[in-house]
Amino acid sequence: MLEHLELFFKSIFIDNMVFAVFLGMCSYLAVSKKVATAVGLGAAVIFVLAVTVPLNWLLDQYLLQPGALSWLGEEYASYDLSFLSFILFIATIATMVQLVEIVVEKFSPSLYNSLGIFLPLIAVNCAILGGSLFMQAREIPSLGLAFNYGLSSGIGWFLAILAIAAIREKIRYSAVPAPRRGLGITFIITGLMGIGFQSFGGMLTGDNEPPTVTEEVVEAVEMEPIKEDTKDPKETEESTEVIAGID
Amino acid sequence: MPLLSKKESKLILDPLADNNPITIQVLGICSALAITAELKASVVMAVSVLFVLGMGNVVISLMRNIIPSKIRIIVQLVVVATLVIVVDQTLKAFAYELSKTLSVFVGLIITNCIIMGRFEAFALGNGPWRSFLDGIGNALGYGVILIIVRFFRELLGSGTLFGIPVLGDPIAKTGLYAFGYENNGFMIIPPAALIVVGILIWIQRAKNPSLVEEA
């Protein structure tokens, strides 16, 4: 139970898909102009991640890993199909996305219209494939935890796109210098939010362990210890929530 | 007769600046941000994308008349995934350490939006040679941003370039550090990449007002 809780909060806040590993940035930037659309896409991402990560966990466990085929019999135990994982993972994801598209089109045509081109593009949202690949790289031990990981990563992505969409709705009334309008300022805000989210790094690690924020990120950075004086993160968080609340 | 006609060299040169995949088309941001910490990794990533995008564009362009449009996304994914498996296995065989550093990001080339974006926008409507040039151009535009971002982050963050100290030794206080210069630790943390890209976009649009977005 404890490990479930830990993984849950870790994936939402510490290893946040957007702010810690920069996954799914394309749709994050493109669909965050309005809160309503962002919520729709965010929900779709949660659903697809929560389904595909456990599915891919099963594939990985019983098909792809070295020795995974031993349930077929002794002679298959030496097979290593792990080089096929990319193509199998992406096939699972593409199928699931097609399914979500059909369901959404049937039950919520308005959401379908507002998501437009981006629904099929969930298939090429790096957050989805990233979820499955991180699940494989981190060797998540059980199906339950894999589901948990997919769900919580999705929720983390959802929170991120909700926050940026709320901020972008408000920022329309601000006098942003012309060359920074739109994309430029969005990048900088995201960077600041990312710095804010870094402060969650100390949350689950206790006193002595170093923060694990970017453990798996390619950044071979000397981890800066989380400093006491990072006070803006909480402010950013609160103000984000307040803004979201107003909307 | 020159190797490339004017139109063809435009295909390669345009994505380097005015139609850059990252700062203008907003494609392929994810890996651009995550890979910019180490020069070796950025270069390998840029070369892998060059290979996948160049080859993929050719393959898709050759098949463009026989792919039913309803299933084109799946076909494109299969083509990219196959090429990425080739890249991944090659890296594992010849540069194992590097493939460990890149970890899942090699796999994420599959979902790099630049690739799908160029397939959709260019390769499905153009011949193989033009598509190849377009792929090379866009991959180079991607690589350029990767390297610029990393250059500033490494120079300002740790005072080195390609791992070689250029501003002096911060501990022995030589070079610039003798005058009280300090490394900016802020540049090392991952979110700084976002801010550097944001500033790049700002500079580019300030220089070329036609790129500024409508309010």
Side-chain angles (χ1 to χ4, degrees):
Chain A
M1 195 56 217
L2 196 64
E3 58 180 348
H4 272 278
L5 269 181
E6 192 179 328
L7 183 72
F8 188 75
F9 286 108
K10 192 164 176 262
S11 327
I12 293 183
F13 294 110
I14 305 177
D15 291 330
N16 186 287
M17 279 284 182
V18 173
F19 298 126
V21 284
F22 307 120
L23 293 182
M25 291 296 287
C26 300
S27 25
Y28 168 85
L29 290 168
V31 193
S32 59
K33 285 190 181 119
K34 274 195 194 148
V35 170
T37 339
V39 168
L41 184 72
V45 166
I46 296 183
F47 177 74
V48 175
L49 261 175
V51 175
T52 54
V53 172
L55 268 179
N56 283 335
W57 185 86
L58 287 174
L59 278 178
D60 187 45
Q61 207 70 13
Y62 295 108
L63 205 61
L64 298 170
Q65 275 181 6
L69 286 173
S70 52
W71 56 273
L72 275 179
E74 283 294 307
E75 63 272 33
Y76 295 100
S78 60
Y79 282 63
D80 175 4
L81 296 179
S82 54
F83 67 95
L84 285 177
S85 51
F86 292 158
I87 210 161
L88 270 183
F89 285 0
I90 200 73
T92 316
I93 290 166
T95 322
M96 278 315 301
V97 168
Q98 198 73 55
L99 196 69
V100 174
E101 195 184 345
I102 293 168
V103 171
V104 171
E105 191 178 6
K106 171 104 176 127
F107 291 105
S108 173
S110 61
L111 179 63
Y112 181 78
N113 287 332
S114 62
L115 288 180
I117 183 170
F118 287 103
L119 204 54
L121 286 185
I122 288 185
V124 286
N125 184 333
C126 340
I128 311 282
L129 183 63
S132 290
L133 289 176
F134 272 126
M135 173 275 296
Q136 194 188 30
R138 289 176 189 175
E139 290 166 0
I140 287 185
S142 73
L143 185 63
L145 280 173
F147 171 73
N148 184 341
Y149 180 69
L151 184 71
S152 48
S153 306
I155 294 175
W157 200 88
F158 176 85
L159 287 180
I161 196 170
L162 182 64
I164 194 73
I167 292 176
R168 284 180 83 172
E169 278 202 355
K170 291 292 160 194
I171 219 167
R172 220 176 297 147
Y173 306 107
S174 318
V176 180
R180 295 175 91 162
R181 219 180 276 147
L183 194 57
I185 195 71
T186 311
F187 263 97
I188 292 174
I189 293 172
T190 312
L192 295 175
M193 288 162 84
I195 295 170
F197 264 69
Q198 284 227 314
S199 65
F200 286 117
M203 200 165 68
L204 291 172
T205 49
D207 294 330
N208 304 321
E209 293 170 60
T212 52
V213 194
T214 46
E215 216 173 35
E216 268 84 10
V217 187
V218 177
E219 308 273 338
V221 185
E222 313 93 88
M223 273 310 300
E224 295 271 292
I226 299 298
K227 291 186 190 114
E228 292 294 311
D229 59 2
T230 46
K231 54 178 187 255
D232 44 83
K234 276 203 187 107
E235 284 171 17
T236 321
E237 265 309 282
E238 274 166 22
S239 57
T240 309
E241 276 165 26
V242 172
I243 292 169
I246 295 170
D247 285 301
Chain B
M1 192 184 146
L3 183 64
L4 300 171
S5 73
K6 212 170 180 189
K7 256 191 187 166
E8 287 171 341
S9 58
K10 212 166 138 50
L11 284 178
I12 291 199
L13 295 179
D14 257 10
L16 290 182
D18 285 348
N19 195 19
N20 190 283
I22 293 179
T23 61
I24 307 297
Q25 303 175 38
V26 208
L27 297 173
I29 312 281
C30 332
S31 58
L33 295 170
I35 310 285
T36 51
E38 215 184 312
L39 178 79
K40 245 196 201 164
S42 327
V43 171
V44 170
M45 192 66 187
V47 172
S48 314
V49 170
L50 189 80
F51 171 77
V52 174
L53 190 50
M55 297 293 289
N57 253 356
V58 172
V59 174
I60 292 291
S61 166
L62 287 173
M63 298 199 301
R64 70 184 187 279
N65 294 327
I66 52 168
I67 303 175
S69 72
K70 280 204 163 161
I71 58 158
R72 65 181 194 283
I73 302 255
I74 308 264
V75 175
Q76 289 164 3
L77 282 174
V78 171
V79 171
V80 194
T82 316
L83 288 166
V84 170
I85 289 176
V86 172
V87 170
D88 185 50
Q89 295 295 316
T90 317
L91 278 180
K92 274 191 184 141
F94 296 106
Y96 188 70
E97 284 304 310
L98 213 54
S99 81
K100 276 282 162 221
T101 340
L102 282 171
S103 72
V104 303
F105 286 92
V106 178
L108 286 175
I109 297 178
I110 299 174
T111 50
N112 190 325
C113 332
I114 291 183
I115 296 184
M116 297 298 276
R118 291 328 290 174
F119 283 3
E120 282 281 303
F122 200 91
L124 280 177
N126 288 281
W129 173 238
R130 282 166 57 81
S131 302
F132 178 69
L133 294 177
D134 178 78
I136 301 286
N138 277 285
L140 286 177
Y142 167 85
V144 164
I145 298 288
L146 229 65
I147 287 164
I148 294 178
V149 172
R150 188 201 149 275
F151 175 85
F152 283 110
R153 286 184 66 195
E154 190 173 334
L155 185 67
L156 301 176
S158 41
T160 58
L161 283 180
F162 313 126
I164 304 161
V166 287
L167 300 179
D169 190 335
I171 296 159
K173 299 277 174 211
T174 58
L176 262 185
Y177 297 99
F179 304 106
Y181 174 81
E182 289 286 343
N183 283 330
N184 185 356
F186 170 72
M187 297 303 282
I188 301 179
I189 59 173
L194 277 162
I195 294 175
V196 176
V197 175
I199 293 171
L200 277 181
I201 294 173
W202 180 12
I203 295 171
Q204 196 181 12
R205 290 182 181 187
K207 287 207 175 272
N208 187 350
S210 65
L211 300 173
V212 170
E213 286 174 44
E214 304 266 320

